[in-house]
Amino acid sequence: MSERDRGSQAGDGNGGAEDDDGERAGILDGVTVVDLSTFVTGGFATTMLANQGAEVIKVERPDVGDDSRHSGPPFVDPGDYDGPGTVANDNGESPYFWTVNYGKRSVELDLKTDAGLAALYDIVEEADVFVENFRPGTADRIGVGYEDIRAVREDVVYCSISAFGDSGPWRERPGYDLLVQGTSGIMSVTGEEDGDPVKVGLPQTDLITAMWAAFGVVCSLFRRELTGEGDRVELAMHDAALPWLTKQAAKAFQGEEPGRMGTRDPVIAPYQAYPTADGYLNVGCANQKLWRELCTAIGREDLFEDDRFATNPDRVDHMDELEAELSETFRERTTDEWVDRLADEAGLPVGPVNTVPEALASEQTEARGVVTELDHPATGRMKALEHPLNFAGAESGFEEAPPLLGEDTEAVLREAGYDDERLAALREAGGIPDR
């Protein structure tokens, strides 16, 4: 939480069913997370925890902050803002940074100084979770390894994220989403059949890893409730991506080599995008009943009677012919016309291939309240993406915008017991910025 309008959040460790006023609270209300990670893997993981009520304290390098604060364009002009915290980028605030840092507090600490490291330990004394995504060995070298943090908070849940993990011949290699999309096999099955390997158009392995990390943290918190013991959660981006191969891995285990298929599916047909008069239509008919209903709804009963398409295995074996037949028919109408006719009237699993702006502005997105707005201290009202979990007995969601760099430094340290004299000494020692 931040100085803007959030006070200190005290938790009672009861799982967050109700707050002090008997109102619904977040499931992780009362859980404090110290986050030393940068970019997406740790950032999105702790954002998931913040969405469920955890207080996330983001520890950042003085005057620089998280590298994603500098990712762009676009950037948003902060205007003449002169409140607590600073804009780390001369170009302005990064909307990319915003998307993985909603609802956190930002503290600037120079961990290369003894004073800065000691201040971190003071904050950790009251923390439940510690997250880092340094290359293996780095955390120990700079004094924030598992044993260092455990010495301060014995029952801490400590999460380590790296590209390739603490063991194995690739342990020392650096890694980013692009590299892991390659090492995990994802790129080999993405793209057109006769084309080059293609990177998924979003940081998929970063986000996959982040979700595993958040899941691991919550599992360890649950175990701590049962045993009173903390734990270390260690995971690698490469490992995290492999279980998502599912059907492609199943084929590989049977001696087959999955390849690129465009929008096609290796085991179901029709299950792909088809061109329409003005765009593309996704069609997913995963059983024989749906196939019959599709043929009837588009006026192509002849396809249902065609021996080449009699069963799903037959259709998979004759995908080229099936695609040609269906493409010819779907080109006769616009995407919206087909969606009205097939999805709304016939109840069939078809849908448009939207652009990102169309997806964010669709009537379904609006009805579900996925896109919301938050008050940013420097840029005013900003759009934000809510997370999808909705509980009957607990609150979830973001109430605060992403923090400016160092916005909460003084407030968090005061909560950790620092008075004016100690804060002045910390500044003098270079642990926090002198501003």
Side-chain angles (χ1 to χ4, degrees):
M1 298 190 175
S2 86
E3 291 182 333
R4 295 195 289 278
D5 53 15
R6 292 178 290 183
S8 173
Q9 183 186 42
D12 57 8
N14 66 358
E18 293 183 346
D19 63 16
D20 293 339
D21 298 322
E23 300 292 331
R24 293 195 311 169
I27 289 176
L28 298 181
D29 194 49
V31 171
T32 299
V33 180
V34 174
D35 180 8
L36 263 66
S37 68
T38 61
F39 279 121
V40 180
T41 52
F44 194 82
T46 56
T47 298
M48 291 176 64
L49 303 178
N51 188 262
Q52 302 308 318
E55 177 188 13
V56 178
I57 300 171
K58 185 175 181 65
V59 178
E60 304 189 66
R61 292 174 293 168
D63 302 317
V64 178
D66 190 326
D67 289 331
S68 64
R69 287 188 183 273
H70 306 272
S71 296
F75 294 101
V76 179
D77 187 348
D80 298 324
Y81 175 77
D82 61 357
T86 63
V87 178
N89 193 311
D90 291 340
N91 295 310
E93 284 286 287
S94 168
Y96 175 51
F97 170 84
W98 292 349
T99 61
V100 291
N101 287 287
Y102 304 128
K104 300 179 184 179
R105 308 174 81 182
S106 173
V107 173
E108 290 176 276
L109 289 178
D110 188 346
L111 301 182
K112 294 180 180 179
T113 67
D114 291 341
L117 193 59
L120 175 69
Y121 293 157
D122 289 334
I123 294 171
V124 167
E125 284 185 4
E126 300 301 321
D128 301 284
V129 178
F130 189 94
V131 179
E132 56 90 5
N133 65 348
F134 297 114
R135 200 182 304 189
T138 301
D140 292 323
R141 178 173 55 80
I142 65 176
V144 297
Y146 176 49
E147 294 302 329
D148 299 308
I149 300 303
R150 188 167 176 263
V152 177
R153 177 69 188 252
E154 184 177 4
D155 63 350
V156 71
V157 172
Y158 185 107
C159 181
S160 297
I161 304 169
S162 62
F164 299 106
D166 283 357
S167 59
W170 297 353
R171 175 182 182 274
E172 299 293 336
R173 292 186 186 180
Y176 288 96
D177 171 72
L178 172 65
L179 276 66
V180 178
Q181 286 203 31
T183 64
S184 65
I186 290 174
M187 287 176 64
S188 75
V189 295
T190 306
E192 295 300 325
E193 182 176 359
D194 298 325
D196 296 329
V198 173
K199 171 185 170 295
V200 177
L202 46 82
Q204 185 177 49
T205 65
D206 282 337
L207 298 169
I208 289 171
T209 306
M211 298 183 80
W212 281 119
F215 178 65
V217 165
V218 171
C219 286
S220 291
L221 287 172
F222 179 72
R223 178 178 177 272
R224 191 179 73 170
E225 287 294 307
L226 299 177
T227 67
E229 299 175 352
D231 206 346
R232 179 174 182 243
V233 182
E234 186 266 338
L235 72 160
M237 293 172 65
H238 177 77
D239 301 356
L242 294 176
W244 283 47
L245 295 174
T246 59
K247 64 184 68 177
Q248 287 82 8
K251 290 173 72 73
F253 288 150
Q254 299 306 312
E256 299 182 28
E257 183 171 338
R260 294 180 291 283
M261 301 182 68
T263 63
R264 292 179 178 180
D265 187 87
V267 297
I268 303 172
Y271 199 91
Q272 66 180 90
Y274 293 96
T276 65
D278 65 348
Y280 291 89
L281 183 76
N282 276 329
V283 177
C285 290
N287 61 48
Q288 200 68 0
K289 176 178 179 292
L290 291 173
W291 169 238
R292 176 191 287 272
E293 291 175 355
L294 176 69
C295 292
T296 300
I298 65 175
R300 292 298 307 271
E301 291 87 348
D302 60 301
L303 296 179
F304 186 77
E305 302 298 334
D306 193 316
D307 290 342
R308 296 174 299 172
F309 314 132
T311 67
N312 183 71
D314 293 326
R315 294 191 290 278
V316 171
D317 288 340
H318 296 91
M319 278 191 186
D320 289 342
E321 298 98 312
L322 181 62
E323 181 175 344
E325 293 283 358
L326 290 177
S327 295
E328 180 180 358
T329 297
F330 286 129
R331 283 194 180 98
E332 296 173 358
R333 299 173 183 268
T334 67
T335 299
D336 285 346
E337 287 175 321
W338 281 121
V339 170
D340 289 343
R341 181 172 178 175
L342 301 180
D344 294 335
E345 296 176 13
L348 289 166
V350 305
V353 178
N354 284 329
T355 65
V356 172
E358 288 170 343
L360 294 175
S362 76
E363 59 183 2
Q364 183 66 19
T365 300
E366 182 178 353
R368 296 285 292 175
V370 181
V371 176
T372 186
E373 290 190 347
L374 300 170
D375 285 317
H376 191 277
T379 64
R381 296 291 283 177
M382 56 164 282
K383 290 187 181 297
L385 284 168
E386 269 295 356
H387 286 194
L389 296 177
N390 303 292
F391 300 97
E395 290 292 341
S396 62
F398 300 114
E399 296 183 359
E400 300 294 336
L404 287 165
L405 177 60
E407 180 181 346
D408 308 283
T409 301
E410 184 171 320
V412 169
L413 288 169
R414 288 189 182 280
E415 291 165 16
Y418 283 65
D419 56 16
D420 290 344
E421 184 177 350
R422 289 188 69 189
L423 285 171
L426 185 57
R427 289 191 183 93
E428 180 70 22
I432 59 176
D434 185 13
R435 59 172 181 266

